[in-house]
Amino acid sequence: MSRIKDSPEFQRGAPVTIIVDGAPLPAFVGETIAGALLASGRRAWQHTRHGQPRGMFCGIGVCFDCLVTVNGASKVRACLTPVAEGMIVQTQETTP
Amino acid sequence: MTEQVEIAVVGAGPGGLCAALAAAQAGAQVALIDNNRHPGGQYYRQTAREFRGAPSSHQREGAALLQQAIAAGVRIIAETNVWGAFDDKVLALNDGAATTYLQARAIILATGAYDRPVAFPGWTLPGVMTAGAVQTLIKEQRILAGKRFLLAGTGPLQLVLAAELARAGAQVVAVLEGSRVFPRVLQHAGALWNQWERLSEGLSSWLTLARHRIPYRVGWGIVAAEGAAQVEQATIARLDGNWRPIRGSEEKIACDTIALGYGFVPFNTLSRLLGARQEWRPELGGEVPARDAQMQTSAPGVYAVGDCAGIGGAALARVEGQIAGSAAAAQVGHGTADAIPARASALARERRFQRMYAALFTPGVGLYELSQDDTILCRCEEITQAEVRHALALGADTTNEVKLITRGGMGDCQGRMCAHLIAHFIARETGRSVAQVGMLPPRPPIFPIPITALGVTR
Amino acid sequence: MNDRRRISAEAVVIGGGIVGCASAYYLARRGVQVALLEKATIGGEASGRNGGGVRQQCRDRRERPFAIASVKLWEGLQAELGFDIEYVQGGNIRMAANDARMESLRREGAEELEDGLQVELWDRDELRRRAPYLGDVFIGAKYCATDGTANPILTTKAFGWAAQRLGATILTRTEAVSIGVEGARVASVTGRDQDGEIVVEAPWVINAAGPWSAALSRAIGVEIPVEPARSVIAITQRCAPLFREFISSHDLGVYARQAREGQVHVGGTNVPPHTFDQRAPADVLEHLARGAAQMIPALRGANFLRSWAGTLEMTPDKVPILGYVDRVKGYILATGFSGHGFCLGPIAGKLVSELVVDGAPSLSLHEVRFSRFG
Ligand SMILES: Cc1cc2nc3c(=O)[nH]c(=O)nc-3n(C[C@H](O)[C@H](O)[C@H](O)COP(=O)(O)OP(=O)(O)OC[C@H]3O[C@@H](n4cnc5c(N)ncnc54)[C@H](O)[C@@H]3O)c2cc1C
Ligand SMILES: Cc1cc2nc3c(=O)[nH]c(=O)nc-3n(C[C@H](O)[C@H](O)[C@H](O)COP(=O)(O)OP(=O)(O)OC[C@H]3O[C@@H](n4cnc5c(N)ncnc54)[C@H](O)[C@@H]3O)c2cc1C
Ligand code: FES
């Protein structure tokens, strides 16, 4: 739950801020939403119909555990979706 | 609108890249479609292109292969899903904004695999994830998914991951290897001949483990994950020869992340959709298309290479890709399939390794017996083992029937996570084989696609 | 063959769709010893793949009384079958996108009221008020409040399970390969399963084999004019509750319902005939996507999760065939439901049981008689 401290030659993309449930979250271009959430220490961001917390499971877009709403579009896979400046992410309660 | 291409390759991992390159070098017009941000598949998984830093040797190799393919004229269609396959070799593509159709004279499927899901009490807790997820996050974004990792699974990839975690500064509390490898590896020593690259990678990982004093526990496995809102500890146990936990051997081990590395499941949906006959081959990961020596499936002009046709790793995927690429090119009138015999010895070497790998690291049945009645088998629809059991009591005896009654397998992942789990449970309860119990039929789109993007065609 | 197994029954049903299962259920309830042969699994074909619409309005006048009588049965089914079949009377809206369509809905509505079916005509404003989720292409609609939806697969299975509990013998993965006739009367059905042949002797044979009913019948010289046709459904991922009606528009060529679990099922009203092919073609999926987005604009933010197709059993006049066959005593046809058989299944099964037990059905079968095709 952290960004790896690589050698100084290594550089992340430009710093950006995404808005997760109304709160700013710093991230770097090139990261995915799931990456940024995990790096910030957050393990779960989806809740199932039965109220169970879920986060990243497969990491490659096949399990659909990591769904979030991005700029109004629902059911977006956080593990595949790169962050962008000002992106509005709502962690998702699955409906109904 | 439907575009025409001579050869369409789906998946830009080692298999697909080599297939596309071989076909293009033979003179064929080739399109290579991949749904990732960066072509390369799993093994060559590239670091985000917005990052600056020294790529690993795998990443360099993958990038070089991609450049070669582009130079040979391969058209790369990235960040695009193939969501369906239709008559006359028409593939349906979607990039999230619109659908396009690509009609090919030959199709090479190289869609790879995904980590094998394993159901045990607590496996849906945040913090339990696949080894591939942990690995991908490191390779692509240089991010650690946790602090204190327990690696549970089988095979040398676990060593590689443990070493990578350790080097990145994470704590690895233990690596559990389900297979009792050491006495048995000697029986297969021959298959290690000419595998120096692999051996040296294994050895260097091994040394890293030793240096960081990471316990490597052979014949041990995960039994349960525990924690209130996320993983706090794991129950592990010594396993018998069938991978069943030995009662009384349980231990608790504190960790915040459990990485499951129990091998892979071939991603065979497209070959099924294209009508290729499938076989149930546990040693190859599950259901895979039957193929001839040129990697052609029973559907004429449809080839399958790499992990999607049977788990075999990157090196085998490369050789199979080269063979299928030449064969498909010859089929559509470019070059001859002469290149194929030249690959025979490489193929034989990799197949030997694949057999050894399968013999050593195919999980035993005990792995599918960890779930309890209140354990969820279908993560998406949250269907428990008890609900599946109830469906069996009502007369269901196939994975599909259980799906229809319980909804298990109807969720967003299209059954990719649960089909194997449910099938093994049914097989065990009904005394039928997993092959008889069957997998789920493909139901396009194979990934969800926006209604607006489907309605709009380019 | 000496490995032939023989069982005897009072009636044998061919086909484990909703029509066959309901027939077996109502027969068993009347105390008839019944056996059912299903070549694959219960509800594996159209009966388990359909749109789940239980609708009385917008029916051919000949079919209307059956739909009305069936809905009476539907209202008690959940309790009777002892299984949650997700039946709700959420209403049915048939929309019009042009004046000609509205005019024909108006005419149909008048006829329906005459026949005792309560329907309402909605103008544009009423439609906006009652169904604000619909797109603005529609100028009006006809509405039937007692129409509804149910879960197709669970309903069909529940009929099968209930029949079984009442003593019916259900043989799945058993294909009927021939109908035995002695003199002018049916005598048996021969089935084939993985162990070989099985002969079910019975004085009554009910052909409820859906689109496959014609092939079986031909061999005994009874030509049923039933043709297969393909119908496709695509569904979204779970959505927040949007609507509870079953809605359709023949102008757009699509219909939809939202299942209890939240997925919106979208189907097409045009079905290509003469095919047993059950793969969903790309152009049909595109049509469904476009239609869905136009009909329910809120779906523009949704994804299609999966699709499937099923095979309908179409008759030339799109009205079912239900009743005796004059030339072959004991042979009952219950087929050709032409895309409406899910709603009609319960009443069809009940009428079949009356044909066997009472010799006279409680509803006239004149309009659905086989002999109308001469
Ligand atoms: C998450 C994960 C991590 C792995 N990490 C390693 C590792 O570090 N070292 C190692 O030796 N092995 C690793 N493996 C094993 C790996 O599968 C093989 O070593 C190797 O990558 C197989 O090559 P391939 O060409 O068959 O498929 P892959 O490399 O898996 O490539 C398949 C490609 O096809 C794409 N694809 C699939 N379906 C579609 C579709 N419908 N439309 C468009 N594109 C599609 C995939 O996204 C992927 O890019 C990993 C496997 C997984 C699942
Ligand atoms: C996509 C779709 C949407 C639909 N929507 C609706 C709707 O909203 N409302 C509505 O009322 N209707 C709808 N229908 C129509 C409805 O599903 C059918 O009319 C109805 O299911 C017919 O039931 P059945 O029992 O006659 O046939 P089927 O369900 O076709 O059952 C026939 C059974 O017979 C079996 N069989 C065939 N031959 C043999 C043999 N030789 N031996 C043994 N078994 C055999 C088959 O395997 C099958 O299970 C829809 C149909 C489809 C495909
Ligand atoms: S973590 Fe599995 S789809 Fe994102």
Side-chain angles (χ1 to χ4, degrees):
Chain A
M1 285 172 283
S2 58
R3 296 187 170 82
I4 298 170
K5 289 171 195 63
D6 284 287
S7 61
E9 306 88 81
F10 176 84
Q11 268 179 27
R12 292 180 182 275
V16 290
T17 302
I18 64 171
I19 311 295
V20 180
D21 296 332
L25 181 77
F28 296 91
V29 173
E31 294 177 351
T32 61
I33 298 169
L37 285 165
L38 282 164
S40 77
R42 199 155 162 192
R43 313 302 296 282
W45 49 83
Q46 215 224 141
H47 281 86
T48 67
R49 285 182 304 153
H50 297 142
Q52 299 302 309
R54 297 276 177 87
M56 182 173 83
F57 182 68
C58 76
I60 58 165
V62 294
C63 78
F64 289 76
D65 254 17
C66 64
L67 300 182
V68 289
T69 297
V70 177
N71 298 334
S74 64
K75 313 254 184 212
V76 172
R77 284 167 284 177
C79 70
L80 296 185
T81 309
V83 297
E85 177 62 42
M87 174 183 260
I88 298 186
V89 177
Q90 285 154 283
T91 65
Q92 183 153 319
E93 307 267 330
T94 311
T95 48
Chain B
M1 204 198 69
T2 303
E3 277 183 67
Q4 310 286 328
V5 66
E6 283 183 332
I7 297 177
V9 183
V10 188
L17 281 168
C18 286
L21 178 59
Q25 282 172 340
Q29 175 207 15
V30 183
L32 172 60
I33 311 127
D34 189 88
N35 55 14
N36 274 292
R37 276 196 290 161
H38 310 97
Q42 310 303 352
Y43 180 82
Y44 295 142
R45 175 73 64 176
Q46 302 289 310
T47 306
R49 72 169 76 82
E50 297 84 354
F51 290 15
R52 292 273 162 278
S56 70
S57 63
H58 292 174
Q59 290 175 326
R60 279 198 304 274
E61 185 182 311
L65 205 47
L66 177 65
Q67 286 319 312
Q68 265 183 288
I70 293 170
V74 174
R75 179 175 152 214
I76 311 284
I77 307 176
E79 294 187 75
T80 298
N81 253 320
V82 175
W83 62 263
F86 300 93
D87 279 353
D88 306 318
K89 299 197 186 65
V90 173
L91 297 175
L93 278 50
N94 195 289
D95 60 4
T99 287
T100 41
Y101 297 96
L102 196 57
Q103 180 169 40
R105 291 173 58 206
I107 295 175
I108 303 176
L109 301 172
T111 49
Y114 51 89
D115 289 84
R116 175 176 306 283
V118 182
F120 51 84
W123 79 296
T124 54
L125 273 177
V128 179
M129 54 188 89
T130 67
V134 174
Q135 172 77 282
T136 302
L137 203 60
I138 296 175
K139 283 199 204 175
E140 188 183 65
Q141 303 175 44
R142 307 298 296 154
I143 287 174
L144 292 173
K147 291 195 180 83
R148 306 180 74 194
F149 289 81
L150 170 69
L151 272 53
T154 186
L157 283 180
Q158 290 211 99
L159 295 177
V160 176
L161 177 57
E164 222 159 328
L165 284 167
R167 279 195 296 268
Q171 188 188 349
V172 180
V173 296
V175 178
L176 311 182
E177 168 56 64
S179 167
R180 290 158 188 276
V181 225
F182 290 121
R184 294 163 59 218
V185 71
L186 297 174
Q187 299 160 10
H188 298 273
L192 293 171
W193 178 252
N194 222 349
Q195 293 285 359
W196 314 124
E197 195 189 323
R198 281 193 163 110
L199 287 172
S200 75
E201 190 179 20
L203 187 65
S204 106
S205 303
W206 182 258
L207 292 173
T208 310
L209 248 66
R211 201 162 47 243
H212 288 87
R213 299 183 194 291
I214 297 171
Y216 182 59
R217 303 178 71 165
V218 174
W220 282 75
I222 181 84
V223 172
E226 288 130 31
Q230 60 169 63
V231 174
E232 291 161 18
Q233 67 173 14
T235 303
I236 64 172
R238 191 183 283 284
L239 305 179
D240 71 12
N242 292 316
W243 297 48
R244 295 193 168 99
I246 296 170
R247 209 177 292 240
S249 69
E250 292 87 355
E251 281 180 23
K252 304 276 183 198
I253 186 163
C255 56
D256 62 32
T257 307
I258 300 173
L260 304 172
Y262 286 96
F264 303 98
V265 177
F267 201 171
N268 69 331
T269 318
L270 283 175
S271 67
R272 271 195 74 163
L273 264 182
L274 284 160
R277 188 170 61 75
Q278 308 286 319
E279 295 174 340
W280 179 254
R281 300 282 296 276
E283 77 284 9
L284 296 181
E287 190 183 66
V288 290
R291 294 177 298 168
D292 65 14
Q294 306 202 328
M295 312 300 150
Q296 190 170 204
T297 68
S298 70
V302 177
Y303 299 76
V305 301
D307 279 1
C308 75
I311 305 304
L316 180 61
R318 279 193 297 264
V319 186
E320 290 187 352
Q322 288 160 350
I323 293 173
S326 314
Q331 186 198 315
V332 302
H334 298 281
T336 57
D338 288 351
I340 294 168
R343 307 274 173 223
S345 76
L347 182 68
R349 183 186 65 161
E350 292 308 324
R351 285 268 156 86
R352 262 197 313 275
F353 187 79
Q354 181 187 36
R355 279 193 295 276
M356 177 202 78
Y357 196 95
L360 291 178
F361 303 118
T362 302
V365 288
L367 188 66
Y368 292 101
E369 300 173 3
L370 298 172
S371 50
Q372 307 291 315
D373 267 3
D374 61 356
T375 307
I376 282 172
L377 295 186
C378 167
R379 296 174 74 90
C380 300
E381 297 294 311
E382 299 184 277
I383 304 302
T384 62
Q385 178 172 296
E387 287 168 270
V388 175
R389 189 189 294 287
H390 180 64
L392 302 186
L394 288 169
D397 60 0
T398 63
T399 312
N400 197 47
E401 284 278 280
V402 164
K403 166 180 162 180
L404 295 174
I405 297 173
T406 64
R407 311 190 50 77
M410 285 192 191
D412 287 347
C413 87
Q414 287 264 40
R416 283 184 281 268
M417 292 296 114
C418 63
H420 274 238
L421 301 171
I422 292 176
H424 278 90
F425 179 73
I426 303 172
R428 176 168 107 230
E429 292 293 311
T430 60
R432 306 171 80 216
S433 68
V434 179
Q436 283 174 314
V437 164
M439 291 288 114
L440 296 173
R443 294 275 183 253
I446 66 175
F447 291 106
I449 35 169
I451 283 180
T452 44
L454 179 55
V456 181
T457 49
R458 253 190 220 125
Chain C
M1 246 200 278
N2 45 13
D3 67 340
R4 265 194 173 196
R5 290 155 292 155
R6 269 178 194 278
I7 57 174
S8 63
E10 287 165 339
V12 52
V13 178
I14 304 170
I18 189 162
V19 174
C21 290
S23 299
Y25 167 73
Y26 287 106
L27 281 165
R29 219 179 63 169
R30 297 291 303 273
V32 176
Q33 209 193 327
V34 55
L36 181 149
L37 273 59
E38 163 53 53
K39 67 178 165 61
T41 56
I42 298 300
E45 294 294 342
S47 297
R49 296 162 178 252
N50 63 63
V54 179
R55 153 177 71 88
Q56 305 155 95
Q57 74 160 344
C58 308
R59 294 281 185 201
D60 187 290
R61 195 163 202 173
R62 293 169 287 175
E63 195 174 284
R64 191 171 298 137
F66 297 98
I68 294 173
S70 210
V71 166
K72 293 275 170 319
L73 295 176
W74 274 99
E75 287 168 349
L77 270 190
Q78 180 117 339
E80 200 177 325
L81 300 180
F83 199 87
D84 182 1
I85 57 173
E86 301 177 14
Y87 177 62
V88 278
Q89 284 180 310
N92 183 294
I93 311 177
R94 173 68 57 91
M95 289 85 75
N98 54 55
D99 293 332
R101 178 79 59 191
M102 197 60 217
E103 185 45 42
S104 81
L105 288 179
R106 208 168 275 131
R107 273 199 309 273
E108 189 176 54
E111 199 186 271
E112 286 168 334
L113 288 169
E114 225 172 83
D115 289 352
L117 180 67
Q118 285 308 310
V119 295
E120 299 168 28
L121 283 161
W122 292 351
D123 62 12
R124 188 188 277 268
D125 291 343
E126 186 67 3
L127 184 61
R128 291 289 162 280
R129 206 175 63 73
R130 303 284 293 268
Y133 55 87
L134 288 174
D136 56 16
V137 289
F138 304 114
I139 61 164
K142 186 156 64 70
Y143 173 73
C144 177
T146 50
D147 285 350
T149 55
N151 181 314
I153 184 71
L154 294 181
T155 305
T156 306
K157 293 234 181 239
F159 264 120
W161 292 322
Q164 236 167 346
R165 280 199 302 272
L166 292 172
T169 303
I170 305 233
L171 304 172
T172 54
R173 299 197 188 107
T174 306
E175 182 177 3
V177 289
S178 65
I179 299 171
V181 179
E182 277 167 27
R185 187 168 188 105
V186 293
S188 66
V189 172
T190 300
R192 190 177 294 136
D193 64 13
Q194 59 174 13
D195 301 321
E197 287 199 341
I198 178 161
V199 179
V200 186
E201 291 169 341
W204 292 97
V205 171
I206 295 98
N207 185 344
W212 297 269
S213 53
L216 259 179
S217 206
R218 191 163 302 132
I220 56 167
V222 179
E223 286 283 345
I224 315 175
V226 165
E227 286 280 355
R230 176 179 56 213
S231 185
V232 177
I233 290 179
I235 72 166
T236 66
Q237 290 168 290
R238 276 206 174 79
C239 302
L242 269 171
F243 61 106
R244 59 196 298 266
E245 298 85 2
F246 187 106
I247 57 177
S248 59
S249 160
H250 279 245
D251 303 307
L252 299 185
V254 286
Y255 63 83
R257 74 168 169 117
Q258 185 166 26
R260 187 165 72 187
E261 298 286 329
Q263 299 84 351
V264 177
H265 293 226
V266 183
T269 54
N270 296 325
V271 291
H274 311 304
T275 179
F276 277 109
D277 189 346
Q278 292 189 337
R279 291 169 305 163
D283 58 338
V284 175
L285 296 177
E286 272 178 43
H287 166 79
L288 296 181
R290 274 191 295 270
Q294 243 190 316
M295 188 161 70
I296 311 168
L299 290 183
R300 284 177 195 158
N303 300 320
F304 270 152
L305 172 61
R306 72 172 167 267
S307 66
W308 62 83
T311 307
L312 304 174
E313 9 47 300
M314 307 301 290
T315 61
D317 58 6
K318 300 193 173 65
V319 170
I321 303 171
L322 184 59
Y324 301 124
V325 175
D326 296 337
R327 279 194 306 103
V328 187
K329 296 278 169 281
Y331 188 34
I332 295 174
L333 302 182
T335 182
F337 288 85
S338 307
H340 316 146
F342 183 58
C343 168
L344 297 174
I347 191 66
K350 183 156 185 286
L351 290 165
V352 163
S353 75
E354 292 166 357
L355 287 173
V356 170
V357 179
D358 306 324
S362 56
L363 266 179
S364 166
L365 298 180
H366 183 72
E367 298 285 12
V368 292
R369 70 196 184 283
F370 171 53
S371 59
R372 73 180 185 274
F373 299 108

